[in-house]
């Protein structure tokens, strides 16, 4: 499950509603070169350094004599929404602007000998702003994109979430695509992709927050591979 606060949920809902409204208006306005896209993405990511820090926090809790009900599990997958627009450059090429919001929650819940409860919640957030180029050949296609990823880890504080780690990184994405057209105005695309980090994220603040030793190399790339399912509206 994606865990986001009410402000984030409202912002994402507003973006989706705006895109849906524009999708309905474009054909009426005679603007046929622009497609709107709404979809969902899921991936498997390489987060070895992050997971090492989480395991150290679990081991620290056990060493302190705490009885664990749930531990901080490895961060291996993400999922979330993908929205944006595509500008057609003829029949076979297009430029895309996209926004992708993905996240997961990790939780440690433990009890001490005197029945005191310790709860640690981590809310991971990956927000990406992508500029891409897509080539389409009939039912098939491929694409590339450069993206800026805004990465946050948040804690629960007085019924609100606040980030104790917030950094940005540049990434590159490469995808294949398979298109299914229901008519001349709507198509479904299945897009397997691989994402490679150009910059890394320093997780020193995560180690400090969990009060565990910082790894000798605290940098994490969060490179990943996954699948996006996208619906395009507009002239295909």
């Amino acid at each position: 499950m994606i865990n986001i606060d009410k402000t984030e949920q409202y912002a994402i809902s507003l973006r989706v509603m705006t895109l849906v409204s524009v999708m309905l208006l474009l054909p009426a306005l005679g603007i046929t070169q622009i497609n709107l896209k709404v979809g969902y993405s899921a991936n498997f990511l390489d987060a070895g350094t992050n997971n090492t820090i989480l395991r150290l926090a679990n081991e620290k809790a056990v060493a302190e004599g705490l009885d664990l009900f749930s531990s901080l599990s490895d961060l291996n997958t993400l999922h979330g929404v993908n929205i944006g627009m595509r500008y057609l450059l003829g029949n076979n090429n297009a430029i895309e602007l996209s926004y992708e919001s993905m996240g997961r929650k990790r939780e440690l819940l433990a009890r001490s000998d005197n029945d005191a409860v310790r709860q640690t919640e981590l809310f991971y957030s990956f927000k990406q702003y992508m500029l891409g180029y897509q080539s389409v050949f009939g039912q098939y296609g491929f694409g590339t994109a450069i993206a800026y990823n805004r990465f946050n880890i948040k804690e629960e504080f007085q019924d609100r979430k606040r980030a104790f780690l917030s950094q940005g990184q540049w990434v590159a994405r490469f995808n294949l695509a398979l298109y299914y057209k229901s008519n001349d105005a709507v198509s479904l695309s299945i897009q397997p992709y691989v994402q490679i980090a150009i910059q890394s994220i320093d997780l020193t603040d995560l180690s400090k927050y969990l009060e565990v030793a910082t790894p000798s190399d605290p940098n994490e790339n969060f490179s990943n591979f996954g699948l996006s399912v996208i619906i395009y509206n507009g002239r295909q």
Side-chain angles (χ1 to χ4, degrees), residues 57-192:
N58 294 331
E59 293 169 4
K60 176 175 177 286
V62 172
E64 292 174 350
L66 298 179
D67 183 16
L68 296 185
F69 295 111
S70 65
S71 58
L72 294 167
S73 57
D74 288 354
L75 184 69
N76 295 321
T77 62
L78 298 171
H79 49 87
V81 296
N82 184 314
I83 59 178
M85 63 178 59
R86 176 174 68 173
Y87 184 78
L88 300 176
L89 302 172
N91 295 324
N92 302 110
N93 303 288
I95 293 174
E96 289 194 358
L97 290 173
S98 306
Y99 167 77
E100 188 174 72
S101 178
M102 309 178 81
R104 293 300 296 270
K105 173 185 174 182
R106 289 294 176 262
E107 180 180 22
L108 183 149
L109 186 62
R111 184 178 63 187
S112 65
D113 291 337
N114 61 3
D115 289 334
V117 175
R118 178 189 297 182
Q119 183 179 31
T120 301
E121 293 179 304
L122 303 176
F123 300 88
Y124 287 81
S125 172
F126 297 75
K127 298 182 183 301
Q128 296 195 156
Y129 304 86
M130 293 182 280
L131 173 63
Y133 180 82
Q134 297 285 329
S135 292
V136 182
F137 303 96
Q139 245 189 313
Y140 305 98
F142 65 89
T144 62
I146 186 75
Y148 181 74
N149 173 37
R150 193 64 192 172
F151 172 74
N152 291 284
I153 306 179
K154 299 180 180 180
E155 63 172 342
E156 189 87 37
F157 180 75
Q158 296 181 350
D159 296 326
R160 295 177 63 87
K161 295 181 179 68
R162 67 177 185 182
F164 63 85
L165 193 161
S166 182
Q167 294 180 35
Q169 68 173 157
W170 289 96
V171 300
R173 180 175 289 193
F174 307 91
N175 72 276
L176 299 175
L178 180 62
Y179 294 90
Y180 299 93
K181 296 181 181 179
S182 62
N183 52 51
D184 291 335
V186 178
S187 67
L188 172 71
S189 179
I190 299 173
Q191 300 180 0

Side-chain angles (χ1 to χ4, degrees), residues 40-58:
Y40 201 79
S41 298
N43 66 30
F44 295 93
L45 73 165
D46 179 8
T49 301
N50 176 86
N51 295 338
T52 295
I53 295 172
L54 298 187
R55 290 170 197 159
L56 288 174
N58 294 331

